[in-house]
Amino acid sequence: MSGSGRDVIALARELAAEFGERAGEVDREGRFPHENIARLKESGYLQLPIPEELGGSGADLSTVCRAQSILAGGCASTALAANMHLFGLGAAAESLADGQDEARMVLQLAATGIVIGGSFTDAATGLNVRASSTPAERVEGGYKIHGRKAFCSLAPALDIFYGTAGLTDGTGLLLFAIGRDAPGLSFVDTWDTMAMRGTGSWDVIFDEVFVPEFMAQVGTPWDEWDRRSERMLSWFSCTVASVYLGIAEAALAFTASYLSKRTLGGMKHPISRQPGIIFGAGEVDALIRPARALLEDTLRRREDRVLPAHEVVAVKYCVTNAAVAAVDRCFRMVGGSGLYRRLPIERMFRDVQAGPLHPPTNDLALEGLGRAALGIPADAQPRWGD
Ligand SMILES: Cc1cc2nc3c(=O)[nH]c(=O)nc-3n(C[C@H](O)[C@H](O)[C@H](O)COP(=O)(O)OP(=O)(O)OC[C@H]3O[C@@H](n4cnc5c(N)ncnc54)[C@H](O)[C@@H]3O)c2cc1C
């Protein structure tokens, strides 16, 4: 761990306890927890990966992952929303450390309290990181964007939006950033979902939004597995996996505490002494333990070298799916009372379902892992054999 690791973990614990008090209410009302984001800002949590000399904590990927698991145990929605800001900053901090000075500006902005969020998902056509159906037209001095994006977590609080659009002249993908108050840009609350209800993952509407040339870049950043792609995918996958693992760890802690206090009529011992519950807890532990070990092992090995794509994908796939299975088992151990919204396991059961839906989704992850296992290049053409 680096970046005053112990202080960061203590801060994450304090914030998780505080946010945990209102996580049920945030979920039930499906409201965005502005007060949590304000606390993350003033406590320095949103500046964790920013280098110390620029005003942050200089926390590395391992430290941010640990902190995000803890935070998610208190309020998973807040942790996931914050994640969309943190992962990009972490990748930018590594770019700066690698000598890419152009990463400095975003880190300096974020150090002042600016919140950054974005969406790569086109509202009508879903996610394709290599293309976008939101059109961008070249105009004098920049681009005009018209269309709609979805799944923009943090939308109610972000100051800078980043995303992708497809150039109408067919020359590629535009990666751009724009201030929240840009004329023609608006955010619409469409986020009435079964899970992660407090992330404010609204739609974003572009009505002829002008993006100046200096705020945009043409190209497909993920086409080549270079250091830049690795940084983005590692920061994204490992922190997202940590959020969902944090839900599973909190679900086990809740289940253990609940069942060890619950005694059914006529029983001398709490229900946690029943064999089904003991074996169930063993199964959950046996799901969580290798998931945490894989995540931490991958992070340790990453300190020495750039990881291959399929190893990063493996973390995201294995950890988020283990988390779903672990919370499912906890939910069944708690029994019928787990259906009541007054118990946090009901919310955890729904929230954890979102894990495998983040990119790379299960199908794409398995395709990547399968190709690597078979020695088939990731970009082999045709994609499927006859
Ligand atoms: C809680 C939550 C918060 C999110 N926040 C953000 C955010 O802040 N910013 C952001 O950019 N995104 C965010 N996302 C969106 C996410 O990145 C996805 O875009 C979104 O979940 C829709 O993607 P999808 O692949 O499920 O849907 P679709 O793109 O509609 O895909 C539908 C199905 O087709 C499969 N599929 C898609 N493409 C292929 C392919 N090429 N080959 C094979 N199968 C394919 C998918 O696996 C899926 O099963 C968030 C998602 C969640 C769940």
Side-chain angles (χ1 to χ4, degrees):
M1 275 189 199
S2 82
S4 345
R6 265 176 247 297
D7 296 347
V8 170
I9 298 311
L11 174 65
R13 288 208 176 102
E14 183 191 323
L15 294 170
E18 186 183 324
F19 300 169
E21 294 288 319
R22 49 182 173 258
E25 178 254 319
V26 164
D27 170 71
R28 187 162 320 177
E29 292 184 8
R31 74 171 177 86
F32 186 73
H34 283 282
E35 67 276 45
N36 293 357
I37 302 301
R39 276 288 281 137
L40 292 177
K41 234 191 238 190
E42 59 90 16
S43 65
Y45 193 93
L46 287 186
Q47 289 87 24
L48 285 187
I50 299 174
E52 282 173 302
E53 62 274 21
L54 296 182
S57 299
D60 63 9
L61 179 53
S62 297
T63 308
V64 173
C65 283
R66 273 266 166 207
Q68 281 292 81
S69 284
I70 294 166
L71 197 68
C75 179
S77 280
T78 302
L80 186 71
N83 211 69
M84 300 307 173
H85 166 93
L86 290 170
F87 89 89
L89 289 184
E94 286 189 2
S95 298
L96 186 64
D98 251 13
Q100 288 166 22
D101 210 56
E102 62 276 15
R104 184 182 297 274
M105 194 176 81
V106 69
L107 293 163
Q108 281 172 330
L109 275 175
T112 67
I114 291 283
V115 177
I116 302 166
S119 169
F120 295 103
T121 310
D122 296 309
T125 55
L127 178 70
N128 178 359
V129 291
R130 291 190 169 73
S132 170
S133 57
T134 299
E137 188 194 338
R138 281 182 205 270
V139 293
E140 204 185 325
Y143 306 88
K144 269 246 157 90
I145 301 182
H146 195 82
R148 187 174 182 129
K149 298 232 159 222
F151 286 98
C152 180
S153 299
L154 266 182
L158 61 80
D159 302 298
I160 294 180
F161 171 91
Y162 65 86
T164 46
L167 287 163
T168 48
D169 58 13
T171 51
L173 190 70
L174 191 74
L175 188 63
F176 66 93
I178 192 86
R180 182 184 191 97
D181 53 2
L185 183 66
S186 56
F187 298 86
V188 190
D189 183 357
T190 45
W191 193 245
D192 184 12
T193 50
M194 67 161 272
M196 292 295 191
R197 291 171 53 76
T199 52
S201 306
W202 296 0
D203 279 16
V204 189
I205 298 176
F206 297 84
D207 184 9
E208 305 289 340
V209 174
F210 175 72
V211 176
E213 207 149 322
F214 69 90
M215 296 289 278
Q217 195 183 321
V218 178
T220 314
W222 305 275
D223 258 359
E224 244 183 273
W225 189 247
D226 54 12
R227 285 178 73 82
R228 184 172 167 215
S229 305
E230 194 271 353
R231 270 185 222 119
M232 287 299 277
L233 190 67
S234 290
W235 270 84
F236 179 76
S237 297
C238 295
T239 52
V240 160
S242 299
V243 166
Y244 291 93
L245 188 54
I247 300 176
E249 288 169 336
L252 177 58
F254 165 76
T255 304
S257 150
Y258 179 77
L259 294 177
S260 60
K261 289 189 205 111
R262 187 164 166 81
T263 310
L264 300 186
M267 282 183 184
K268 268 203 235 125
H269 297 286
I271 202 154
S272 59
R273 296 285 298 275
Q274 291 298 309
I277 301 299
I278 292 175
F279 296 143
E283 271 178 47
V284 175
D285 185 58
L287 285 162
I288 290 177
R289 196 175 285 277
R292 165 102 14 234
L294 174 67
L295 173 65
E296 290 181 357
D297 174 62
T298 306
L299 289 169
R300 245 189 323 271
R301 284 183 300 110
R302 186 172 183 269
E303 282 168 14
D304 305 326
R305 62 187 172 95
V306 176
L307 291 169
H310 69 274
E311 289 210 28
V312 183
V313 167
V315 170
K316 157 67 184 41
Y317 177 85
C318 297
V319 173
T320 56
N321 285 287
V324 173
V327 179
D328 182 79
R329 192 74 185 86
C330 288
F331 177 74
R332 277 161 225 294
M333 284 156 66
V334 169
S337 44
L339 291 172
Y340 287 86
R341 287 182 189 270
R342 62 183 151 81
L343 294 188
I345 193 72
E346 185 270 343
R347 181 182 77 250
M348 292 164 169
F349 180 79
R350 288 181 286 106
D351 280 346
V352 80
Q353 306 302 325
L357 304 180
H358 294 278
T361 51
N362 279 357
D363 288 354
L364 291 170
L366 286 175
E367 182 186 343
L369 293 177
R371 283 176 189 276
L374 293 166
I376 302 169
D379 55 358
Q381 291 298 331
R383 186 172 169 191
W384 313 115
D386 288 334

